[in-house]
Amino acid sequence: RPFLRKRLRRVRISFTVTNRRMAESEYNDSGIGPIILGIVLGLGCRLLTPLIRLPFSVMVLFCGMLIAFIWSEGKSGSSALHDSLESWINIEPHDLAGALLPVLIFASAYSSSVHVLQREMGQFLWLAFPMVVVGAVLAACFLKYALPFNWGWNISMLLGSIVSATDPIAVVSLLEELGVSEDLGTIIEGESLFNDGSAFVMFEIFLQLVEGGDDSTREFVKLTFRLAGGGCILGISLGFLSCFALERVFNDSLTEIGITIVAVYSAWMCAESTSLKFSGILTMVFFGLVMNSYGKPRVSPSTQKSLSEFWAGADFIANILIFFATGLVIVGQIVIEDRDLKKSDWGYMISFWLVLYVIRIIIVAVSWPVLTFCGYGMTFQKACILVHSGLRGAVSLILALIVDGTEEIEKRDRDLIMLFVSGTACLTLIIQGSTTGWFVSLLGLDSTSKAEQRAFGEACAILELRAQADHDRFVKYDPFLVGANWFMVWRYIPALHPDAYWMRISCGKLHLSEEEKKDMQNLEQFDRTLKGLLTTLDATLMCWFKYTNLPLRIRKRWHHYHRRFRFIPNMKASFKAKTLQDVFDSIIEKSKHRIVLPDSADVSKHRRLNLVNDKKNAFMLHSDIYTSTFENEENEEDLEERRLRFLLALQAQYTKYMLHGRLPGRALRVLFESVAVAKDIVETGGQIDSWSYIFDRYCTTFGTKLAEKINEFSGTVPLAKDIWFGRISLLMEVAAVFVAAHQAVDRREKGGTSLLGDDSVTKLPSKIEFEVHNEISRAKETLEKMEQNYPYETEVVKTLMAVHRMLHCYEVHATELVIEGRLTEKEHDRISTALTHSQKALHKHHKQ
């Protein structure tokens, strides 16, 4: 007991001393405060993006600049957040690069389309390597000969290499939102990935020369090969090593995500923080591409989605922090900090930005033959966006901060480099990034073809029919919803297309008030004279306020619908000789034959279903006013659009089979590549032909012939047996799922389900049906030949596929039993664990 008393007394004394020291010392958040503040502001900017017509990254940049100005006002004070902001403004550039660039580069490379990257590899490699050198040389010439700074070639090339690194994150995300073609976004993003690496190599070379390094040709070549070649080799090697590690894990999402995190930062540290001194950017680029091509198929099917979502979220947070830090550094280091700058230097900076834009035009013009004849080609409109997307951002700013800490360069030159880099980054992000959306609309790159509009209208009509059927079958008769104002309910559901708008009017779901009809009549009487323009404009601005039958929050929306949908685009010609009253009378006349469901809830289920079918048939009989003419047209543009949408449905079916356990990751990659190749063929005017790619690559290539030779030694060499059976099983799995997916998508194989069915699709034109059945017959023929030539291997593969299907059935039914209350969560976990062990065992047997 005395011993315990002494121990307790010592603990009490030490605890008191610790509390006293903590109270006396100042709290330091170690830089966490700006991270939380930046993420909060970034989330707010994301919510405000639909209201403020600015790119998300530009808004985050503005927030960082505003916070830096606020910080400067309270510079004399002291607080934890104030000191933390100061540490971010004066952040070490290597720390900023090591924390955020690996995530940004890997996420971009990992999420890119492998097929599009392969098609456009020549285009962005040309832009990222020789054209980066050309751009740096032209910028250096302007700096040396046009500006009065008396700079030599080394420091001019140093700044030229810094501004050669493009950072078009704002443009790429905006192009995705506007629905611009994927190939243009991939060219811009791929060029950015590689030219960051090539610009960094040039930067390292000229930085060493400025610091007084050896300027001999031998040393120059040696340094280039060490930075560029070493980074490529290291990235590829670590990528394949990570693929091997991922292949050892099965159905363990936390472990697989952890492996990718460790691999990403290990690759960067091996390149930058060891004696190797390779290019970390090029290492991460090639590491990400290897993981995309070979690592993604080796990730467990159940982990694919969670892994992609994790890196998408990490990329989002890293983007917020990098642009927030950019805003802090630009204001804190240039505007507020006391630097040796003159007023004329700001004018020289603006002229340098304009010269960089002209250099970008020259680069794209010189590259026109390469851009036109490689990959997917290039149009004038896309070339304009490619010129406008030459933004500078965080990478250039990090390199400028490295120069700012180099004592061998004079302070005046360092201040000018910081001004030029920060100013061009700010101007390109604010001016070019903010005007990209307007530029895309001006060039018509965000417009859709008539075939796409008709296909979308058809999909909206089907969606509207299914929603109305669910309403008439189930929702309307729910006892908890009796007495609801269904006319107002349909007002709150958006009308996505004119077909949906007029369908609701015809089916009695939507009743227009007198004010709405009058508003549409005013819009119909619109003339082109100035007086008529002003009168109608005043009516359209004020009439929505008079819709007293609607709540205020949805009046403007329905006024917008009336303005857009008062005429059907597909049937515009038929309305020219009619007044609006004739249209309403026609709709009312057509709707007289419509069978209305009784309001009472005691109607039998069988009777209700019959009424729904009669209602749907009556609606289809009188659909000449508002239905799409897409089904009746088989011109080349419509056929191409239908082929593309069939391939999209096919790709979705492949993903569904993978989630259902019918398809391994390696086979999914082959099928996705075949769909991508088929899309390229269709877009060039060809027919659906995805099986030729699979057959040519896996049935007639040198690899298959080599595998057949290896099969002769399979009895004595186990590795030869693994290679042979892996090749056969892959081809059989691909062929079997290929046939099943085509049959699932093709409506003749499904027996022609109705439009209201869960798996329904509209009827395909006869040409596409012939192409689809030709694909199915060729794949079946290959399967039959394989069964004849390799009966034992066929039996084994079919057995493995059957086990996969049965395991998935058990998993689905176990989940259903939990929902029904027949299984507890512990019992379900026990069953799931047993099924997972079986899948792991099957995974190992598959390799043997």
Side-chain angles (χ1 to χ4, degrees):
R1 287 182 180 178
F3 174 75
L4 290 176
R5 290 195 193 98
K6 290 181 180 179
R7 295 288 296 177
L8 289 173
R9 191 180 299 113
R10 289 176 183 175
V11 169
R12 193 180 300 115
I13 293 172
S14 63
F15 183 74
T16 304
V17 172
T18 303
N19 286 341
R20 190 178 301 161
R21 289 176 180 175
M22 290 180 63
E24 293 175 354
S25 64
E26 294 183 359
Y27 175 72
N28 185 9
D29 65 358
S30 302
I32 303 298
I35 295 177
I36 303 300
L37 179 61
I39 294 175
V40 170
L41 292 174
L43 296 175
C45 291
R46 183 175 176 85
L47 295 175
L48 293 175
T49 300
L51 302 177
I52 304 175
R53 299 297 182 180
L54 282 176
F56 165 73
S57 54
V58 176
M59 295 174 63
V60 177
L61 177 73
F62 278 138
C63 289
M65 298 172 71
L66 179 62
I67 294 298
F69 276 116
I70 296 174
W71 168 82
S72 66
E73 293 297 325
K75 202 170 182 180
S76 58
S78 178
S79 65
L81 182 59
H82 180 276
D83 297 339
S84 188
L85 283 170
E86 185 175 2
S87 66
W88 268 79
I89 290 174
N90 301 304
I91 190 171
E92 177 67 27
H94 293 287
D95 296 340
L96 183 63
L100 300 178
L101 286 187
V103 176
L104 293 171
I105 297 173
F106 175 77
S108 178
Y110 187 76
S111 61
S112 301
S113 171
V114 176
H115 175 74
V116 178
L117 282 173
Q118 291 174 349
R119 283 288 302 271
E120 297 182 338
M121 185 69 72
Q123 292 175 318
F124 57 73
L125 285 181
W126 171 263
L127 291 171
F129 289 102
M131 288 298 102
V132 164
V133 177
V134 171
V137 171
L138 293 176
C141 291
F142 173 79
L143 294 169
K144 180 175 175 59
Y145 295 111
L147 298 183
F149 300 140
N150 296 322
W151 281 349
W153 277 111
N154 287 341
I155 196 167
S156 298
M157 284 296 298
L158 181 66
L159 181 52
S161 62
I162 291 175
V163 296
S164 297
T166 59
D167 190 12
I169 296 175
V171 174
V172 173
S173 59
L174 185 62
L175 293 179
E176 292 178 356
E177 293 176 6
L178 296 175
V180 182
S181 60
E182 183 184 8
D183 56 330
L184 178 59
T186 305
I187 291 177
I188 296 173
E189 193 168 11
E191 178 203 1
S192 173
L193 283 174
F194 282 93
N195 75 6
D196 286 350
S198 58
F200 184 77
V201 171
M202 281 197 301
F203 169 79
E204 286 285 346
I205 292 171
F206 287 101
L207 181 63
Q208 291 194 16
L209 293 177
V210 169
E211 291 175 344
D214 188 2
D215 59 352
S216 63
T217 306
R218 179 181 178 183
E219 188 65 23
F220 178 83
V221 174
K222 180 180 177 181
L223 186 61
T224 303
F225 273 98
R226 177 170 64 82
L227 291 170
C232 298
I233 295 172
L234 180 62
I236 293 172
S237 303
L238 294 178
F240 280 111
L241 183 62
S242 302
C243 294
F244 176 80
L246 286 173
E247 198 172 14
R248 302 299 102 189
V249 183
F250 185 75
N251 272 3
D252 191 347
S253 58
L254 296 179
T255 302
E256 293 176 73
I257 293 174
I259 288 173
T260 58
I261 296 173
V262 172
V264 165
Y265 281 99
S266 298
W268 179 269
M269 292 177 62
C270 288
E272 291 285 340
S273 303
T274 62
S275 58
L276 297 175
K277 295 299 179 183
F278 295 154
S279 171
I281 295 177
L282 283 178
T283 300
M284 292 308 307
V285 169
F286 283 94
F287 173 79
L289 293 177
V290 171
M291 289 293 290
N292 189 1
S293 302
Y294 300 98
K296 192 179 291 185
R298 287 164 174 78
V299 176
S300 302
S302 60
T303 311
Q304 293 271 3
K305 184 179 180 180
S306 57
L307 182 63
S308 299
E309 290 177 348
F310 170 80
W311 282 108
D315 180 58
F316 173 68
I317 298 299
N319 272 315
I320 291 177
L321 295 179
I322 201 78
F323 281 103
F324 183 72
T326 301
L328 290 175
V329 171
I330 287 176
V331 174
Q333 294 269 6
I334 300 298
V335 180
I336 299 173
E337 188 173 335
D338 185 18
R339 289 186 178 269
D340 187 10
L341 297 174
K342 303 176 182 178
K343 292 182 179 180
S344 59
D345 296 336
W346 293 87
Y348 293 142
M349 181 269 294
I350 296 174
S351 64
F352 184 58
W353 165 64
L354 296 174
V355 168
L356 288 179
Y357 199 90
V358 174
I359 291 174
R360 183 72 176 175
I361 296 174
I362 295 173
I363 288 174
V364 174
V366 172
S367 307
W368 182 259
V370 178
L371 298 175
T372 304
F373 295 105
C374 293
Y376 292 97
M378 181 65 62
T379 62
F380 176 76
Q381 291 83 355
K382 292 181 180 180
C384 292
I385 298 300
L386 189 60
V387 169
H388 204 66
S389 64
L391 278 62
R392 275 73 179 176
V395 176
S396 298
L397 196 61
I398 288 171
L399 299 182
L401 289 173
I402 294 174
V403 173
D404 194 47
T406 306
E407 297 296 335
E408 288 79 4
I409 303 176
E410 295 182 3
K411 186 178 185 305
R412 164 71 173 165
D413 295 337
R414 283 182 288 164
D415 293 345
L416 286 172
I417 289 175
M418 281 296 298
L419 172 64
F420 278 42
V421 175
S422 302
T424 53
C426 190
L427 289 173
T428 54
L429 286 170
I430 294 175
I431 297 178
Q432 294 175 225
S434 302
T435 57
T436 300
W438 171 82
F439 207 35
V440 168
S441 301
L442 180 65
L443 295 172
L445 291 174
D446 59 343
S447 60
T448 57
S449 64
K450 292 183 179 180
E452 290 175 331
Q453 294 174 6
R454 286 192 288 267
F456 177 73
E458 186 182 50
C460 289
I462 296 173
L463 177 63
E464 193 72 20
L465 278 173
R466 293 180 183 177
Q468 292 189 20
D470 288 340
H471 166 266
D472 296 335
R473 291 176 183 176
F474 313 112
V475 182
K476 187 176 181 180
Y477 300 101
D478 190 331
F480 293 99
L481 301 178
V482 174
N485 186 348
W486 291 106
F487 298 115
M488 191 60 66
V489 169
W490 285 101
R491 289 285 191 168
Y492 276 94
I493 301 174
L496 303 174
H497 195 267
D499 291 354
Y501 177 82
W502 291 103
M503 193 182 298
R504 291 183 193 175
I505 294 176
S506 176
C507 295
K509 306 294 184 187
L510 188 65
H511 289 270
L512 299 182
S513 64
E514 294 300 326
E515 292 93 344
E516 291 171 307
K517 294 179 183 179
K518 183 179 178 181
D519 181 30
M520 296 177 71
Q521 290 173 345
N522 291 336
L523 290 169
E524 185 184 6
Q525 296 169 359
F526 179 82
D527 55 31
R528 298 296 179 182
T529 62
L530 181 61
K531 181 179 178 181
L533 175 62
L534 295 176
T535 304
T536 309
L537 184 61
D538 180 68
T540 56
L541 288 176
M542 298 302 298
C543 192
W544 69 270
F545 187 72
K546 301 175 183 178
Y547 295 167
T548 54
N549 64 313
L550 299 178
L552 180 62
R553 55 184 171 272
I554 60 174
R555 292 179 189 175
K556 188 174 181 180
R557 176 201 292 179
W558 280 96
H559 175 66
H560 173 69
Y561 290 156
H562 300 329
R563 293 178 63 187
R564 286 186 59 197
F565 301 156
R566 64 185 185 276
F567 291 126
I568 310 301
N570 295 336
M571 304 298 293
K572 207 166 188 178
S574 63
F575 284 133
K576 287 183 179 179
K578 298 181 180 181
T579 64
L580 186 66
Q581 189 62 42
D582 295 333
V583 175
F584 280 110
D585 293 342
S586 178
I587 290 175
I588 294 172
E589 184 67 26
K590 299 289 185 181
S591 301
K592 286 181 179 178
H593 305 287
R594 179 177 53 82
I595 300 176
V596 181
L597 288 172
D599 292 332
S600 59
D602 57 352
V603 183
S604 66
K605 181 179 179 182
H606 179 72
R607 177 60 180 160
R608 290 203 301 269
L609 293 179
N610 287 338
L611 288 173
V612 168
N613 292 330
D614 293 340
K615 177 182 177 180
K616 195 254 312 187
N617 293 332
F619 167 75
M620 297 301 292
L621 286 174
H622 305 298
S623 60
D624 56 315
I625 291 180
Y626 43 81
T627 55
S628 171
T629 59
F630 186 84
E631 297 183 10
N632 300 323
E633 296 187 8
E634 292 194 12
N635 55 50
E636 290 302 323
E637 186 181 9
D638 290 339
L639 285 175
E640 178 182 341
E641 186 64 29
R642 295 300 292 271
R643 289 188 180 103
L644 290 174
R645 291 182 183 253
F646 177 86
L647 292 173
L648 288 176
L650 198 62
Q651 188 169 343
Q653 196 69 27
Y654 291 152
T655 306
K656 178 181 177 181
Y657 284 157
M658 184 201 70
L659 296 176
H660 288 182
R662 297 181 59 178
L663 187 65
R666 55 177 188 162
L668 181 69
R669 178 192 170 193
V670 174
L671 292 168
F672 273 13
E673 288 178 354
S674 68
V675 172
V677 171
K679 286 181 181 178
D680 295 340
I681 296 173
V682 170
E683 288 174 351
T684 55
Q687 300 179 352
I688 296 176
D689 188 9
S690 56
W691 180 252
S692 295
Y693 168 80
I694 299 173
F695 186 82
D696 294 340
R697 184 165 183 177
Y698 293 95
C699 296
T700 61
T701 58
F702 172 76
T704 303
K705 296 178 181 178
L706 180 62
E708 291 178 354
K709 294 293 184 182
I710 291 175
N711 185 36
E712 299 176 1
F713 304 97
S714 60
T716 56
V717 183
L719 180 60
K721 182 179 179 181
D722 293 345
I723 296 173
W724 165 248
F725 183 75
R727 191 80 178 186
I728 293 297
S729 61
L730 174 63
L731 184 57
M732 290 198 65
E733 289 167 348
V734 167
V737 173
F738 183 91
V739 173
H742 277 73
Q743 290 178 345
V745 178
D746 180 33
R747 76 272 323 115
R748 281 207 314 185
E749 295 289 333
K750 294 193 295 184
T753 55
S754 67
L755 276 174
L756 297 179
D758 292 336
D759 298 321
S760 63
V761 287
T762 54
K763 182 175 177 56
L764 281 176
S766 57
K767 291 182 181 180
I768 301 181
E769 283 189 356
F770 175 77
E771 296 167 12
V772 171
H773 285 284
N774 184 36
E775 293 267 271
I776 296 173
S777 61
R778 291 168 62 195
K780 285 183 176 179
E781 183 181 356
T782 303
L783 277 175
E784 292 172 358
K785 288 183 179 179
M786 293 186 67
E787 291 177 0
Q788 295 174 2
N789 297 331
Y790 314 111
Y792 174 74
E793 289 83 354
T794 302
E795 181 182 356
V796 174
V797 172
K798 288 184 176 180
T799 303
L800 292 171
M801 294 173 67
V803 175
H804 273 297
R805 293 289 300 278
M806 289 304 300
L807 288 174
H808 176 71
C809 290
Y810 273 94
E811 187 176 353
V812 170
H813 291 310
T815 305
E816 291 176 353
L817 291 174
V818 173
I819 296 173
E820 295 172 5
R822 300 176 184 272
L823 280 179
T824 63
E825 290 294 336
K826 287 186 177 180
E827 292 169 343
H828 179 263
D829 292 341
R830 190 185 309 166
I831 295 174
S832 299
T833 302
L835 294 175
T836 301
H837 285 317
S838 299
Q839 289 178 347
K840 290 181 179 179
L842 189 65
H843 185 64
K844 294 178 181 178
H845 296 165
H846 186 275
K847 295 179 182 178
Q848 298 173 1

